[in-house]
Amino acid sequence: MRGRGELVDLAVNVRAGTPPSWLKECVAESLDGLAAYPDGRVARAAVAARHGVAPERVLLTAGAAEAFVLLARALRVRRPVVVHPQFTEPEAALLDAGHAVARVLLRAEDGFRLDPDAVPEDADLVVVGNPTNPTSVLHPAADLVRLARPGRVLVVDEAFMDAVPGEREALAGRVDVPGLVVLRSLTKTWGLAGLRIGYVLADPAVVAELSRAQPLWPVSSPALAAAEACMSPRALAEAGHVAHRVAAERRHLVAGLGELAGVSVVGPAEGPFVLVRVAGGGGVRARLRERGFAVRRGDTFPGLGPEWVRVAVRDRATADRFLSALGEALPPAP
């Protein structure tokens, strides 16, 4: 069995080769100010300007994961519903806060597409990802808006939206949708998982309520510097180029997967990863590991079983080596 350091990690969903050098320099320059307490006003204003909203609609967080905890602990909800399969942290945070959580399970035979009518009418908190981890499905904004209604908090996790060219179907910046809370992460595209930086976009009253649940100075000065830098025109242009490159690399990966017998891909995939169904999933993962590749198991996501794996999109050379290894790892055709 290969050690972790010897594996090509296609299980993680953070973009490879990040953060870029200019972003590292911005973070490094912030270290001279570590003697002062963090002041998030400039970064908050930069996020607000990027999305065309008032600063009062922005809450900076220690990654999107903190936002899930704040939502679970600060909001008074009676019937939270999580749309699955998706990132498991929102449900875990709700359960940890003592809530009874209902699930809406999207179906593979429907391509894991959202059916707004499947969400119970009495749900007063609904959580859905877009594009969704791990399915890579991008739900139409119109379908998400159909979930909104007075008295309901609609949480849309857009952690991977900046990997979608043009950020089509995004709700970030919308102020006309009642109860809308949009979460964004800067850890995926920019490779800042170790720095912990994300933000919430919501009605000022919701932002104030979540802010009261935060500890003092929850976001460090280096993370604030990174947030400000990632809102700059240069950063937004680079993210746009990256999104188009990822889309091209994803098409190459999906085409190669389509040539393998016993393999199917959920599509159309729109995120920086794809969800793949393979015969004998657990054994395939083990054989891939022997060949130097790690993929994300799917059976820890509600609604998926051991035949599912999530594969990160990487450059074509890496994808070709992975496809060759996967072809060898698949069980013989009957």
Side-chain angles (χ1 to χ4, degrees):
M1 183 69 71
R2 291 175 183 258
R4 192 169 184 175
E6 300 174 278
L7 292 171
V8 177
D9 192 351
L10 302 183
V12 70
N13 51 29
V14 175
R15 172 182 152 212
T18 50
S21 58
W22 61 264
L23 184 52
K24 290 179 184 177
E25 291 171 5
C26 290
V27 173
E29 289 171 2
S30 74
L31 300 181
D32 289 336
L34 289 183
Y37 286 97
D39 185 343
R41 287 176 294 182
V42 174
R44 189 182 189 191
V47 172
R50 182 256 191 271
H51 291 289
V53 300
E56 292 74 24
R57 299 187 69 93
V58 177
L59 180 70
L60 300 172
T61 60
E66 187 203 8
F68 290 127
V69 173
L70 295 175
L71 288 163
R73 294 181 179 178
L75 300 185
R76 298 174 182 86
V77 295
R78 298 171 291 98
R79 181 128 164 77
V81 171
V82 179
V83 179
H84 284 291
Q86 77 149 334
F87 184 45
T88 55
E89 189 60 32
E91 181 171 308
L94 287 163
L95 291 172
D96 188 61
H99 297 285
V101 181
R103 293 175 173 177
V104 170
L105 295 178
L106 306 183
R107 306 191 311 164
E109 50 265 44
D110 298 329
F112 297 108
R113 314 302 299 181
L114 174 66
D115 176 8
D117 294 330
V119 175
E121 187 62 32
D122 63 346
D124 58 357
L125 173 71
V126 178
V127 184
V128 60
N130 204 39
T132 304
N133 171 24
T135 65
S136 205
V137 169
L138 182 66
H139 303 297
D143 286 348
L144 294 170
V145 171
R146 282 180 57 196
L147 293 173
R149 60 218 352 78
R152 172 184 288 177
V153 177
L154 171 60
V155 179
V156 182
D157 177 8
E158 292 188 351
F160 294 98
M161 186 60 78
D162 58 358
V164 177
E167 296 195 0
R168 65 188 192 283
E169 313 302 344
L171 292 181
R174 292 279 296 268
V175 298
D176 60 327
V177 182
L180 176 64
V181 176
V182 174
L183 308 185
R184 286 286 181 110
S185 170
L186 298 177
T187 65
K188 316 302 182 187
T189 290
W190 299 113
L192 298 174
L195 200 58
R196 310 309 306 144
I197 179 65
Y199 54 91
V200 176
L201 301 171
D203 182 91
V206 174
V207 167
E209 197 166 358
L210 298 179
S211 178
R212 285 192 291 271
Q214 277 187 310
L216 295 175
W217 305 291
V219 181
S220 69
S221 296
L224 293 172
E228 182 184 354
C230 290
M231 300 299 114
S232 69
R234 171 185 182 173
L236 297 178
E238 182 173 326
H241 290 313
V242 169
H244 284 283
R245 187 173 73 241
V246 168
E249 292 166 344
R250 184 179 59 242
R251 287 192 294 270
H252 178 76
L253 173 62
V254 170
L257 290 167
E259 296 177 359
L260 297 174
V263 174
S264 60
V265 182
V266 174
E270 300 285 358
F273 45 83
V274 295
L275 183 62
V276 183
R277 195 175 210 165
V278 295
V284 169
R285 282 194 300 108
R287 289 189 289 275
L288 278 171
R289 192 175 183 90
E290 292 170 356
R291 289 163 174 79
F293 291 90
V295 295
R296 175 68 161 84
R297 62 188 295 179
D299 56 355
T300 60
F301 293 98
L304 300 181
E307 73 276 18
W308 294 97
V309 296
R310 189 192 68 199
V311 182
V313 174
R314 295 288 186 255
D315 61 273
R316 291 192 176 203
T318 301
D320 287 341
R321 289 190 288 116
F322 166 72
L323 290 167
S324 177
L326 178 58
E328 298 172 356
L330 291 170

